[in-house]
Amino acid sequence: MPGDRPTLPPVRLLSEAELARDALAAPLLARAVRLARWAGPTTRVGAGGELVDEQLPAAAEVLGLGDELSEGDGEAYASEAWRVAVDTGLVEVDDPDENGGPDGAAPDAEGRVTTGEQLGVLTSGGPQDILSLWLDALDVVFADATAPVLDDLAAAIGDDGEIDLDSLDWDPELEAEFLEGVLGNLYLLTLVEGGGEGPVPLPVLAASMIVPDDMGEPTDDILEQVSEAMMRLDDQFRLLEPIGLVSYVPVDEALMVEDTEDGPDASLPVGEEDVARYGMVRLTPLGLYGIRSRMLEAGVDAPAVGDLADKDAHALLDGVAHFPELSARAETEQWLTRRAPADAARELLAAARGTDPGAPLRRLHCQQALSLVGAEAEAAVREVLDDAELGGLARVWLAELGAGDVPPPPESMIFWLAIDTIAAQLDAEGEPDELQELVEGLVGQHSGFFEAAWRVEHPATAEVLEAMGRLHRDRAASKDARKAAFKARSRG
Protein backbone atom coordinates (compact mmCIF):
# COMPACT_ATOMS: atom_id res chain seq x y z
CA MET A 1 0.00 0.00 0.00
CA PRO A 2 1.54 3.32 -0.99
CA GLY A 3 2.32 6.06 1.46
CA ASP A 4 4.90 8.64 2.37
CA ARG A 5 7.58 7.03 4.48
CA PRO A 6 10.53 8.64 6.22
CA THR A 7 13.84 8.11 4.47
CA LEU A 8 15.59 7.32 7.75
CA PRO A 9 14.61 5.70 11.04
CA PRO A 10 14.33 8.09 13.99
CA VAL A 11 17.44 8.60 16.07
CA ARG A 12 17.47 8.58 19.87
CA LEU A 13 19.60 11.51 20.96
CA LEU A 14 21.02 12.40 24.32
CA SER A 15 19.70 15.55 25.97
CA GLU A 16 21.17 18.84 24.77
CA ALA A 17 22.91 19.25 28.14
CA GLU A 18 24.61 15.86 27.79
CA LEU A 19 25.57 16.56 24.18
CA ALA A 20 26.99 19.95 25.14
CA ARG A 21 29.17 18.31 27.79
CA ASP A 22 30.41 15.84 25.18
CA ALA A 23 31.13 18.72 22.80
CA LEU A 24 33.25 20.56 25.36
CA ALA A 25 35.11 17.33 26.12
CA ALA A 26 36.00 16.71 22.46
CA PRO A 27 39.83 16.88 22.41
CA LEU A 28 40.14 19.22 19.44
CA LEU A 29 37.57 21.75 20.64
CA ALA A 30 39.02 21.60 24.16
CA ARG A 31 42.46 22.43 22.74
CA ALA A 32 41.04 25.27 20.67
CA VAL A 33 39.40 26.72 23.79
CA ARG A 34 42.63 26.48 25.80
CA LEU A 35 44.57 28.27 23.08
CA ALA A 36 41.89 30.95 22.81
CA ARG A 37 42.19 31.64 26.56
CA TRP A 38 45.98 31.66 26.33
CA ALA A 39 46.20 33.97 23.32
CA GLY A 40 46.66 37.70 23.69
CA PRO A 41 48.17 40.80 22.11
CA THR A 42 51.64 39.27 22.17
CA THR A 43 50.58 36.13 20.33
CA ARG A 44 52.30 36.13 16.96
CA VAL A 45 50.30 35.12 13.89
CA GLY A 46 50.93 35.31 10.18
CA ALA A 47 48.99 37.21 7.58
CA GLY A 48 46.55 34.30 7.20
CA GLY A 49 45.84 34.10 10.91
CA GLU A 50 48.03 31.04 11.51
CA LEU A 51 50.46 30.88 14.42
CA VAL A 52 53.98 31.66 13.27
CA ASP A 53 56.43 28.76 13.50
CA GLU A 54 58.27 30.33 16.44
CA GLN A 55 55.00 30.46 18.40
CA LEU A 56 54.05 26.80 17.92
CA PRO A 57 56.29 25.25 20.62
CA ALA A 58 54.75 27.55 23.25
CA ALA A 59 51.24 26.68 22.04
CA ALA A 60 52.04 22.96 22.19
CA GLU A 61 53.36 23.40 25.73
CA VAL A 62 50.14 25.14 26.78
CA LEU A 63 48.22 22.15 25.48
CA GLY A 64 50.45 19.71 27.34
CA LEU A 65 51.59 18.12 24.09
CA GLY A 66 55.14 17.26 24.92
CA ASP A 67 57.56 14.39 25.16
CA GLU A 68 55.12 11.54 24.60
CA LEU A 69 54.53 12.66 20.98
CA SER A 70 56.84 12.26 18.03
CA GLU A 71 58.88 15.31 17.10
CA GLY A 72 56.67 17.93 15.50
CA ASP A 73 53.36 16.21 16.32
CA GLY A 74 52.61 18.48 19.27
CA GLU A 75 53.14 21.55 17.12
CA ALA A 76 50.94 20.08 14.39
CA TYR A 77 48.14 19.47 16.91
CA ALA A 78 48.57 23.01 18.23
CA SER A 79 48.38 24.43 14.70
CA GLU A 80 45.21 22.44 14.02
CA ALA A 81 43.59 23.60 17.28
CA TRP A 82 44.51 27.20 16.56
CA ARG A 83 42.89 27.01 13.13
CA VAL A 84 39.68 25.78 14.77
CA ALA A 85 39.86 28.60 17.32
CA VAL A 86 40.19 31.18 14.53
CA ASP A 87 37.56 29.72 12.20
CA THR A 88 34.95 29.31 14.95
CA GLY A 89 35.40 32.84 16.33
CA LEU A 90 37.02 31.85 19.63
CA VAL A 91 39.76 34.29 18.69
CA GLU A 92 39.79 37.16 16.25
CA VAL A 93 42.78 37.95 14.06
CA ASP A 94 43.16 41.33 12.39
CA ASP A 95 45.15 40.66 9.23
CA PRO A 96 47.65 43.22 7.99
CA ASP A 97 46.36 45.24 5.06
CA GLU A 98 47.73 44.47 1.60
CA ASN A 99 49.11 47.97 1.44
CA GLY A 100 50.47 47.95 4.95
CA GLY A 101 49.81 46.41 8.36
CA PRO A 102 48.37 47.97 11.47
CA ASP A 103 49.86 51.35 12.28
CA GLY A 104 51.60 51.50 8.92
CA ALA A 105 53.43 48.19 9.24
CA ALA A 106 54.94 46.49 6.22
CA PRO A 107 52.74 44.21 4.07
CA ASP A 108 54.29 41.06 5.58
CA ALA A 109 53.65 42.21 9.15
CA GLU A 110 52.07 39.87 11.64
CA GLY A 111 48.37 40.03 12.53
CA ARG A 112 46.89 41.13 15.81
CA VAL A 113 45.00 38.71 18.10
CA THR A 114 42.00 39.58 20.23
CA THR A 115 39.45 37.53 22.15
CA GLY A 116 36.60 36.30 19.96
CA GLU A 117 32.93 36.70 20.81
CA GLN A 118 32.38 32.95 20.77
CA LEU A 119 34.69 32.44 23.74
CA GLY A 120 32.04 33.99 25.95
CA VAL A 121 29.55 31.33 24.83
CA LEU A 122 31.41 28.81 26.96
CA THR A 123 30.52 30.62 30.17
CA SER A 124 27.33 32.53 29.37
CA GLY A 125 25.70 30.44 26.65
CA GLY A 126 23.36 27.50 26.99
CA PRO A 127 23.69 23.97 25.58
CA GLN A 128 22.34 25.03 22.18
CA ASP A 129 25.00 27.76 21.91
CA ILE A 130 27.76 25.29 22.74
CA LEU A 131 26.43 22.76 20.23
CA SER A 132 26.30 25.47 17.57
CA LEU A 133 29.96 26.24 18.30
CA TRP A 134 30.80 22.55 18.04
CA LEU A 135 29.02 22.29 14.70
CA ASP A 136 31.14 25.18 13.43
CA ALA A 137 34.23 23.31 14.57
CA LEU A 138 32.97 20.19 12.80
CA ASP A 139 32.65 22.20 9.59
CA VAL A 140 36.30 23.22 9.91
CA VAL A 141 37.45 19.63 10.40
CA PHE A 142 35.21 18.36 7.60
CA ALA A 143 36.80 20.85 5.22
CA ASP A 144 40.26 19.64 6.29
CA ALA A 145 39.21 16.02 5.80
CA THR A 146 38.11 16.66 2.21
CA ALA A 147 41.18 18.74 1.28
CA PRO A 148 43.88 17.27 -1.00
CA VAL A 149 46.51 15.16 0.72
CA LEU A 150 49.66 17.14 1.45
CA ASP A 151 51.87 15.11 -0.89
CA ASP A 152 49.59 15.87 -3.82
CA LEU A 153 49.30 19.49 -2.77
CA ALA A 154 53.09 19.96 -2.65
CA ALA A 155 53.44 18.56 -6.15
CA ALA A 156 50.83 21.01 -7.44
CA ILE A 157 52.65 24.16 -6.28
CA GLY A 158 54.12 25.93 -9.28
CA ASP A 159 57.25 28.08 -9.56
CA ASP A 160 55.17 31.15 -8.80
CA GLY A 161 54.05 29.63 -5.49
CA GLU A 162 50.43 29.30 -6.63
CA ILE A 163 48.52 26.00 -6.36
CA ASP A 164 47.47 24.53 -9.70
CA LEU A 165 44.20 22.85 -8.69
CA ASP A 166 43.65 21.54 -12.23
CA SER A 167 46.76 19.37 -11.90
CA LEU A 168 45.36 17.63 -8.82
CA ASP A 169 43.16 14.57 -9.16
CA TRP A 170 40.75 16.24 -6.80
CA ASP A 171 37.28 17.72 -7.08
CA PRO A 172 36.25 19.51 -3.85
CA GLU A 173 32.53 18.96 -4.47
CA LEU A 174 32.95 15.26 -5.23
CA GLU A 175 35.22 14.78 -2.21
CA ALA A 176 32.69 16.45 0.09
CA GLU A 177 29.80 14.52 -1.47
CA PHE A 178 31.63 11.20 -1.01
CA LEU A 179 32.44 11.82 2.66
CA GLU A 180 28.90 13.06 3.34
CA GLY A 181 27.63 9.87 1.74
CA VAL A 182 29.91 7.70 3.87
CA LEU A 183 28.81 9.47 7.04
CA GLY A 184 25.17 9.16 5.96
CA ASN A 185 25.58 5.42 5.46
CA LEU A 186 27.33 5.15 8.83
CA TYR A 187 24.42 7.03 10.41
CA LEU A 188 21.90 4.66 8.81
CA LEU A 189 23.87 1.56 9.78
CA THR A 190 24.06 2.87 13.34
CA LEU A 191 20.28 3.32 13.54
CA VAL A 192 19.52 -0.02 11.91
CA GLU A 193 21.85 -1.77 14.34
CA GLY A 194 19.92 -0.34 17.28
CA GLY A 195 21.96 2.61 18.46
CA GLY A 196 25.45 1.82 17.31
CA GLU A 197 26.70 -0.29 20.19
CA GLY A 198 29.13 -2.03 17.83
CA PRO A 199 31.56 -0.47 15.35
CA VAL A 200 31.19 -0.72 11.58
CA PRO A 201 34.09 -2.21 9.57
CA LEU A 202 35.75 0.31 7.28
CA PRO A 203 35.52 -2.08 4.28
CA VAL A 204 31.74 -2.20 4.72
CA LEU A 205 31.49 1.59 4.59
CA ALA A 206 33.75 1.89 1.57
CA ALA A 207 31.91 -0.88 -0.27
CA SER A 208 28.54 0.74 0.51
CA MET A 209 29.60 3.74 -1.58
CA ILE A 210 31.31 1.91 -4.45
CA VAL A 211 29.91 -1.60 -5.00
CA PRO A 212 26.65 -1.39 -7.02
CA ASP A 213 23.60 -2.82 -5.24
CA ASP A 214 22.88 -5.22 -8.11
CA MET A 215 26.43 -6.54 -8.39
CA GLY A 216 26.93 -10.12 -7.30
CA GLU A 217 30.65 -10.80 -7.05
CA PRO A 218 32.68 -7.55 -7.12
CA THR A 219 35.21 -7.29 -9.94
CA ASP A 220 38.91 -6.74 -9.29
CA ASP A 221 38.53 -3.14 -10.46
CA ILE A 222 35.72 -2.51 -7.96
CA LEU A 223 37.70 -4.15 -5.16
CA GLU A 224 40.69 -1.97 -5.96
CA GLN A 225 38.47 1.13 -5.77
CA VAL A 226 37.18 -0.06 -2.38
CA SER A 227 40.75 -0.54 -1.14
CA GLU A 228 41.77 2.94 -2.27
CA ALA A 229 38.66 4.45 -0.68
CA MET A 230 39.47 2.69 2.59
CA MET A 231 42.90 4.29 2.72
CA ARG A 232 41.40 7.71 2.09
CA LEU A 233 38.70 7.14 4.72
CA ASP A 234 41.35 6.04 7.19
CA ASP A 235 42.98 9.46 6.90
CA GLN A 236 39.63 11.22 7.16
CA PHE A 237 38.39 9.36 10.23
CA ARG A 238 41.70 10.03 11.97
CA LEU A 239 40.91 13.74 11.50
CA LEU A 240 37.25 13.42 12.51
CA GLU A 241 37.85 11.48 15.73
CA PRO A 242 39.41 14.36 17.78
CA ILE A 243 36.35 16.54 17.23
CA GLY A 244 34.25 13.83 18.88
CA LEU A 245 32.32 12.73 15.80
CA VAL A 246 33.49 9.12 15.77
CA SER A 247 35.31 6.51 17.76
CA TYR A 248 37.87 5.02 15.37
CA VAL A 249 40.29 2.10 15.33
CA PRO A 250 42.67 2.91 12.44
CA VAL A 251 43.79 0.59 9.68
CA ASP A 252 46.72 -1.58 10.77
CA GLU A 253 49.83 0.23 9.54
CA ALA A 254 51.36 -3.11 8.53
CA LEU A 255 48.64 -3.36 5.89
CA MET A 256 49.63 0.04 4.52
CA VAL A 257 53.21 -1.17 4.14
CA GLU A 258 51.92 -4.22 2.27
CA ASP A 259 49.85 -2.02 0.00
CA THR A 260 52.82 0.24 -0.68
CA GLU A 261 55.01 -2.70 -1.61
CA ASP A 262 52.48 -4.75 -3.55
CA GLY A 263 49.90 -2.16 -4.64
CA PRO A 264 46.31 -1.97 -3.36
CA ASP A 265 45.01 -5.32 -2.16
CA ALA A 266 42.16 -6.25 -4.50
CA SER A 267 40.32 -8.31 -1.92
CA LEU A 268 38.00 -7.77 0.99
CA PRO A 269 38.78 -9.15 4.46
CA VAL A 270 36.69 -12.11 5.52
CA GLY A 271 37.57 -13.13 9.09
CA GLU A 272 36.77 -11.06 12.20
CA GLU A 273 40.46 -10.52 12.93
CA ASP A 274 41.08 -9.47 9.32
CA VAL A 275 38.14 -7.06 9.42
CA ALA A 276 39.43 -5.40 12.61
CA ARG A 277 42.84 -4.83 11.00
CA TYR A 278 41.16 -2.88 8.19
CA GLY A 279 39.67 -0.27 10.53
CA MET A 280 36.52 -0.03 12.67
CA VAL A 281 34.43 3.10 13.14
CA ARG A 282 31.46 4.04 15.30
CA LEU A 283 29.47 7.25 15.50
CA THR A 284 29.48 8.68 19.01
CA PRO A 285 26.24 10.05 20.52
CA LEU A 286 27.60 13.50 19.66
CA GLY A 287 28.36 12.23 16.16
CA LEU A 288 24.75 11.12 15.70
CA TYR A 289 23.67 14.63 16.64
CA GLY A 290 26.23 16.18 14.30
CA ILE A 291 25.38 14.10 11.25
CA ARG A 292 21.66 14.58 11.80
CA SER A 293 22.19 18.34 12.05
CA ARG A 294 24.06 18.35 8.73
CA MET A 295 21.32 16.26 7.14
CA LEU A 296 18.59 18.61 8.34
CA GLU A 297 20.55 21.57 7.01
CA ALA A 298 20.73 19.80 3.64
CA GLY A 299 16.97 19.24 3.63
CA VAL A 300 17.05 15.52 4.48
CA ASP A 301 14.17 14.09 6.53
CA ALA A 302 16.04 12.80 9.59
CA PRO A 303 13.53 12.35 12.43
CA ALA A 304 14.47 12.09 16.09
CA VAL A 305 12.61 10.33 18.85
CA GLY A 306 10.63 13.03 20.69
CA ASP A 307 9.79 15.10 17.59
CA LEU A 308 6.11 14.13 17.94
CA ALA A 309 5.75 14.60 21.70
CA ASP A 310 3.93 17.93 21.34
CA LYS A 311 1.83 16.92 18.30
CA ASP A 312 -1.76 15.65 18.36
CA ALA A 313 -2.63 11.95 18.39
CA HIS A 314 -3.29 11.82 14.65
CA ALA A 315 0.21 13.13 13.94
CA LEU A 316 1.67 10.64 16.43
CA LEU A 317 -0.05 7.60 14.94
CA ASP A 318 0.79 8.63 11.39
CA GLY A 319 4.34 9.56 12.39
CA VAL A 320 5.24 6.26 14.06
CA ALA A 321 3.56 4.22 11.32
CA HIS A 322 6.85 3.07 9.80
CA PHE A 323 9.19 3.50 12.74
CA PRO A 324 11.08 0.46 13.99
CA GLU A 325 9.27 -1.14 16.93
CA LEU A 326 11.56 0.18 19.67
CA SER A 327 11.56 3.69 18.22
CA ALA A 328 7.78 3.73 17.91
CA ARG A 329 7.44 2.64 21.52
CA ALA A 330 9.91 5.29 22.74
CA GLU A 331 8.15 8.03 20.75
CA THR A 332 4.74 6.98 22.07
CA GLU A 333 6.00 6.86 25.67
CA GLN A 334 7.28 10.44 25.38
CA TRP A 335 3.94 11.53 23.93
CA LEU A 336 2.01 9.85 26.78
CA THR A 337 4.10 11.47 29.52
CA ARG A 338 2.64 14.86 28.58
CA ARG A 339 -1.02 13.80 28.90
CA ALA A 340 -3.41 12.39 31.46
CA PRO A 341 -4.00 8.68 30.75
CA ALA A 342 -7.76 8.89 30.16
CA ASP A 343 -7.43 11.97 27.94
CA ALA A 344 -4.61 10.33 25.98
CA ALA A 345 -6.70 7.20 25.42
CA ARG A 346 -9.69 9.15 24.07
CA GLU A 347 -7.46 11.25 21.83
CA LEU A 348 -5.77 8.13 20.43
CA LEU A 349 -9.08 6.40 19.74
CA ALA A 350 -10.49 9.46 17.99
CA ALA A 351 -7.37 9.67 15.81
CA ALA A 352 -7.65 5.98 14.92
CA ARG A 353 -10.92 6.50 13.06
CA GLY A 354 -10.91 6.98 9.33
CA THR A 355 -11.24 5.39 5.89
CA ASP A 356 -8.06 6.80 4.37
CA PRO A 357 -5.26 4.40 3.31
CA GLY A 358 -3.28 5.07 6.50
CA ALA A 359 -6.18 4.41 8.88
CA PRO A 360 -5.63 0.64 9.40
CA LEU A 361 -2.05 1.18 10.50
CA ARG A 362 -3.16 4.05 12.77
CA ARG A 363 -5.56 1.66 14.47
CA LEU A 364 -2.82 -0.93 14.93
CA HIS A 365 -0.53 1.62 16.55
CA CYS A 366 -3.44 2.97 18.59
CA GLN A 367 -3.93 -0.48 20.10
CA GLN A 368 -0.20 -0.68 20.88
CA ALA A 369 -0.23 2.80 22.41
CA LEU A 370 -3.23 1.93 24.59
CA SER A 371 -1.28 -1.02 25.97
CA LEU A 372 1.27 1.50 27.27
CA VAL A 373 -1.50 3.50 28.95
CA GLY A 374 -2.68 0.39 30.78
CA ALA A 375 -5.82 -0.15 32.83
CA GLU A 376 -6.48 3.60 33.09
CA ALA A 377 -7.58 3.50 29.44
CA GLU A 378 -10.34 0.92 30.07
CA ALA A 379 -13.18 3.39 30.47
CA ALA A 380 -12.30 5.21 27.25
CA VAL A 381 -11.98 1.90 25.37
CA ARG A 382 -15.39 0.66 26.57
CA GLU A 383 -16.94 3.84 25.15
CA VAL A 384 -16.18 2.65 21.59
CA LEU A 385 -17.35 -0.99 21.87
CA ASP A 386 -20.26 -0.26 19.52
CA ASP A 387 -18.16 1.77 17.07
CA ALA A 388 -17.98 0.10 13.64
CA GLU A 389 -14.30 0.93 13.16
CA LEU A 390 -13.05 0.66 16.74
CA GLY A 391 -15.30 -1.97 18.32
CA GLY A 392 -13.14 -4.90 17.25
CA LEU A 393 -9.96 -3.17 18.39
CA ALA A 394 -11.61 -2.40 21.72
CA ARG A 395 -12.60 -6.02 22.32
CA VAL A 396 -9.12 -7.32 21.49
CA TRP A 397 -7.52 -4.75 23.80
CA LEU A 398 -9.91 -5.51 26.68
CA ALA A 399 -9.32 -9.24 26.27
CA GLU A 400 -5.55 -8.70 26.42
CA LEU A 401 -6.06 -6.61 29.54
CA GLY A 402 -7.98 -9.48 31.13
CA ALA A 403 -11.08 -7.36 31.59
CA GLY A 404 -14.44 -9.02 32.28
CA ASP A 405 -17.88 -8.37 30.85
CA VAL A 406 -16.68 -7.91 27.25
CA PRO A 407 -19.57 -8.46 24.81
CA PRO A 408 -18.88 -10.89 21.96
CA PRO A 409 -18.44 -9.23 18.57
CA PRO A 410 -21.01 -9.70 15.79
CA GLU A 411 -19.76 -11.73 12.82
CA SER A 412 -19.58 -8.65 10.60
CA MET A 413 -17.18 -7.01 13.06
CA ILE A 414 -14.95 -10.12 13.12
CA PHE A 415 -14.48 -10.05 9.35
CA TRP A 416 -14.09 -6.27 9.27
CA LEU A 417 -11.35 -6.51 11.90
CA ALA A 418 -9.61 -9.28 9.93
CA ILE A 419 -9.52 -7.14 6.78
CA ASP A 420 -8.38 -4.10 8.76
CA THR A 421 -5.61 -6.04 10.52
CA ILE A 422 -4.21 -7.49 7.29
CA ALA A 423 -4.41 -4.06 5.62
CA ALA A 424 -2.34 -2.60 8.47
CA GLN A 425 0.24 -5.37 8.20
CA LEU A 426 0.53 -4.92 4.44
CA ASP A 427 1.08 -1.20 4.91
CA ALA A 428 3.65 -1.73 7.64
CA GLU A 429 5.73 -4.62 6.32
CA GLY A 430 4.58 -5.66 2.85
CA GLU A 431 4.12 -9.42 2.70
CA PRO A 432 6.42 -11.10 5.25
CA ASP A 433 6.26 -14.77 6.23
CA GLU A 434 4.42 -13.90 9.46
CA LEU A 435 1.57 -12.41 7.44
CA GLN A 436 1.34 -15.60 5.38
CA GLU A 437 0.81 -17.54 8.61
CA LEU A 438 -1.86 -15.06 9.74
CA VAL A 439 -3.70 -15.35 6.43
CA GLU A 440 -3.66 -19.15 6.45
CA GLY A 441 -4.73 -19.20 10.09
CA LEU A 442 -7.72 -16.94 9.45
CA VAL A 443 -8.89 -18.95 6.47
CA GLY A 444 -8.46 -22.19 8.40
CA GLN A 445 -10.50 -20.95 11.38
CA HIS A 446 -13.47 -19.69 9.38
CA SER A 447 -15.16 -21.92 6.84
CA GLY A 448 -16.43 -19.86 3.95
CA PHE A 449 -14.08 -17.01 4.87
CA PHE A 450 -13.82 -15.54 1.40
CA GLU A 451 -17.56 -15.76 0.73
CA ALA A 452 -18.09 -13.53 3.76
CA ALA A 453 -14.98 -11.37 3.38
CA TRP A 454 -15.75 -9.90 -0.04
CA ARG A 455 -18.92 -8.37 1.40
CA VAL A 456 -17.02 -6.44 4.12
CA GLU A 457 -17.56 -2.68 3.87
CA HIS A 458 -13.92 -1.68 4.16
CA PRO A 459 -11.94 0.50 1.68
CA ALA A 460 -9.12 -2.07 1.52
CA THR A 461 -11.24 -5.23 1.11
CA ALA A 462 -10.34 -5.94 -2.53
CA GLU A 463 -6.68 -5.13 -2.05
CA VAL A 464 -6.44 -7.34 1.04
CA LEU A 465 -8.16 -10.27 -0.71
CA GLU A 466 -5.77 -9.98 -3.66
CA ALA A 467 -2.83 -10.09 -1.23
CA MET A 468 -4.35 -13.12 0.51
CA GLY A 469 -4.50 -14.85 -2.87
CA ARG A 470 -0.78 -14.25 -3.35
CA LEU A 471 0.12 -15.30 0.18
CA HIS A 472 -1.94 -18.47 0.68
CA ARG A 473 0.02 -21.57 -0.30
CA ASP A 474 -3.07 -23.69 -0.95
CA ARG A 475 -3.99 -23.34 -4.63
CA ALA A 476 -7.70 -23.72 -4.07
CA ALA A 477 -7.77 -21.12 -1.27
CA SER A 478 -5.62 -18.79 -3.36
CA LYS A 479 -8.09 -19.08 -6.22
CA ASP A 480 -11.01 -18.42 -3.89
CA ALA A 481 -9.27 -15.29 -2.60
CA ARG A 482 -8.79 -13.93 -6.12
CA LYS A 483 -12.44 -14.61 -6.96
CA ALA A 484 -13.50 -12.81 -3.79
CA ALA A 485 -11.28 -9.83 -4.67
CA PHE A 486 -12.96 -9.65 -8.09
CA LYS A 487 -16.40 -9.67 -6.47
CA ALA A 488 -15.34 -6.94 -4.04
CA ARG A 489 -14.14 -4.73 -6.88
CA SER A 490 -17.23 -5.47 -8.99
CA ARG A 491 -19.46 -4.44 -6.12
CA GLY A 492 -18.07 -0.93 -6.57
Side-chain angles (χ1 to χ4, degrees):
M1 294 184 178
D4 294 331
R5 306 195 176 192
T7 57
L8 291 166
V11 60
R12 300 188 70 169
L13 297 174
L14 297 180
S15 69
E16 287 187 341
E18 291 172 305
L19 290 169
R21 284 195 293 271
D22 287 351
L24 292 175
L28 182 53
L29 184 58
R31 291 171 189 161
V33 170
R34 289 178 69 180
L35 288 184
R37 288 172 171 159
W38 159 78
T42 61
T43 305
R44 300 174 58 197
V45 295
E50 75 284 358
L51 288 171
V52 298
D53 291 344
E54 295 83 359
Q55 192 79 72
L56 288 173
E61 184 178 351
V62 168
L63 297 177
L65 302 173
D67 298 337
E68 70 278 5
L69 299 175
S70 301
E71 184 176 355
D73 283 355
E75 295 178 8
Y77 289 143
S79 179
E80 180 186 28
W82 180 259
R83 185 167 61 257
V84 169
V86 172
D87 290 349
T88 58
L90 291 171
V91 295
E92 298 288 344
V93 176
D94 296 326
D95 292 335
D97 296 332
E98 292 184 1
N99 299 321
D103 301 325
D108 60 350
E110 298 171 357
R112 178 180 298 158
V113 177
T114 56
T115 300
E117 291 184 4
Q118 290 300 310
L119 190 58
V121 166
L122 302 176
T123 54
S124 62
Q128 286 188 352
D129 300 312
I130 292 172
L131 289 171
S132 177
L133 175 64
W134 179 82
L135 288 171
D136 290 342
L138 176 59
D139 287 341
V140 176
V141 179
F142 186 92
D144 287 346
T146 55
V149 297
L150 291 177
D151 291 343
D152 295 341
L153 190 59
I157 298 178
D159 295 336
D160 58 357
E162 297 294 324
I163 298 175
D164 180 12
L165 293 179
D166 292 336
S167 69
L168 291 172
D169 184 18
W170 175 71
D171 183 315
E173 292 185 2
L174 288 179
E175 283 286 337
E177 182 179 336
F178 183 82
L179 184 54
E180 292 279 17
V182 167
L183 293 173
N185 285 353
L186 179 58
Y187 182 90
L188 179 58
L189 286 169
T190 302
L191 300 188
V192 169
E193 293 299 324
E197 294 181 1
V200 177
L202 198 58
V204 171
L205 274 181
S208 72
M209 294 295 295
I210 294 172
V211 179
D213 293 336
D214 58 354
M215 176 175 283
E217 189 70 21
T219 63
D220 287 347
D221 178 63
I222 289 293
L223 290 174
E224 185 171 335
Q225 292 180 47
V226 171
S227 181
E228 292 173 351
M230 285 166 51
M231 295 302 101
R232 180 67 172 132
L233 287 172
D234 180 65
D235 291 334
Q236 291 172 326
F237 283 128
R238 288 172 189 258
L239 289 173
L240 291 168
E241 184 176 36
I243 198 59
L245 189 79
V246 296
S247 174
Y248 183 55
V249 178
V251 175
D252 187 339
E253 293 189 2
L255 292 172
M256 298 184 186
V257 174
E258 293 169 13
D259 283 351
T260 301
E261 294 175 350
D262 303 328
D265 181 15
S267 64
L268 289 176
V270 291
E272 289 187 10
E273 293 184 3
D274 287 336
V275 168
R277 292 185 66 201
Y278 280 80
M280 305 288 282
V281 62
R282 177 178 61 84
L283 277 176
T284 64
L286 183 62
L288 283 169
Y289 166 82
I291 299 306
R292 177 177 183 262
S293 296
R294 294 178 70 87
M295 287 180 170
L296 292 176
E297 187 175 353
V300 176
D301 179 16
V305 172
D307 284 351
L308 303 175
D310 59 347
K311 307 295 184 182
D312 61 25
H314 199 289
L316 172 73
L317 296 178
D318 277 341
V320 302
H322 300 288
F323 279 14
E325 182 179 351
L326 292 179
S327 298
R329 181 185 178 95
E331 186 71 59
T332 304
E333 287 174 339
Q334 291 200 26
W335 187 89
L336 289 172
T337 59
R338 302 191 180 194
R339 293 158 179 84
D343 293 341
R346 289 185 175 87
E347 190 176 343
L348 287 165
L349 288 164
R353 290 190 176 91
T355 58
D356 58 284
L361 195 50
R362 282 204 308 277
R363 284 186 280 273
L364 177 63
H365 282 286
C366 172
Q367 183 176 336
Q368 294 169 349
L370 290 172
S371 69
L372 297 177
V373 178
E376 292 175 282
E378 182 175 354
V381 172
R382 287 187 177 277
E383 292 169 4
V384 300
L385 281 171
D386 295 330
D387 188 283
E389 295 178 359
L390 303 178
L393 175 158
R395 285 167 171 80
V396 171
W397 185 88
L398 288 168
E400 292 177 347
L401 183 67
D405 191 26
V406 180
E411 187 176 76
S412 60
M413 183 175 287
I414 293 174
F415 285 97
W416 193 95
L417 181 61
I419 295 294
D420 198 59
T421 300
I422 296 174
Q425 295 291 343
L426 288 170
D427 192 10
E429 303 180 45
E431 299 180 5
D433 293 341
E434 294 81 358
L435 186 55
Q436 185 177 60
E437 295 174 5
L438 173 62
V439 166
E440 293 178 350
L442 283 171
V443 175
Q445 291 172 12
H446 301 277
S447 60
F449 179 90
F450 294 114
E451 183 58 31
W454 74 263
R455 306 173 192 274
V456 172
E457 296 287 344
H458 191 293
T461 295
E463 191 172 355
V464 165
L465 291 172
E466 285 180 352
M468 293 180 77
R470 292 191 299 270
L471 288 165
H472 207 297
R473 287 171 287 196
D474 181 81
R475 293 181 64 182
S478 177
K479 185 177 180 180
D480 289 343
R482 290 194 297 271
K483 285 182 179 179
F486 178 78
K487 290 181 180 179
R489 290 197 186 281
S490 300
R491 186 185 60 195

